Amino acid sequence: MDRLFLDANVLFSAAYAPVAGLQSLWKIPDIRLLTSAYAAEEARRNLNDTDQRARLSQLLADVEISPRVTLRIELDETIELPENDWPILAGAVHANATHLITGDVRHFGKYFGATVTGVMILSPAQYLRQRI
């Protein structure tokens, strides 16, 4: 069973519009959706509308939320990430995720398709293409 750790930008995008394509992740059978308190709060903070925040809360009801993880992972010194992205990768590792699903091409893009510290990093589109 795939265990998908959702980055804040995925949560944000799924909650932004009443009908968002990313909401299809919630309909895939035999997967487990995961995130961290850090990612959920970042998504919530960036949503301005009360309806969007309500959608986020509804989506998070079906997501396993792990506690805030702020420790930087020292498992691979070749990983280059900005300081604010380390809690996302650490959260995925801490949650025993099989995949980190992120739309952050700028910081995670060079790792798309690679397994980093035991977690495969993919964009939502890449993951959905694999499932179809």
Side-chain angles (χ1 to χ4, degrees), residues 50-110:
T50 56
D51 289 340
Q52 294 169 339
R53 288 183 176 167
R55 275 192 296 279
L56 178 62
S57 292
Q58 289 174 327
L59 292 168
L60 288 174
D62 294 324
V63 177
E64 182 180 318
I65 301 175
S66 63
R68 186 177 294 261
V69 177
T70 57
L71 298 176
R72 185 173 172 149
I73 299 171
E74 299 294 345
L75 300 176
D76 187 343
E77 295 175 5
T78 64
I79 300 168
E80 297 175 10
L81 290 172
E83 203 61 36
N84 66 327
D85 284 326
W86 279 103
I88 298 299
L89 182 56
V93 171
H94 178 73
N96 295 315
T98 57
H99 298 79
L100 166 57
I101 306 301
T102 180
D104 186 350
V105 177
R106 183 174 180 199
H107 298 133
F108 284 103
K110 63 183 166 185

Side-chain angles (χ1 to χ4, degrees), residues 4 14 19-29 31 33 59 124-125 127-128 132:
L4 308 184
V19 179
L22 283 174
Q23 291 173 8
S24 64
L25 288 171
W26 275 256
K27 297 173 184 160
I28 298 173
I31 66 168
L33 298 177
L59 292 168
Y127 182 78
L128 289 169
I132 296 173

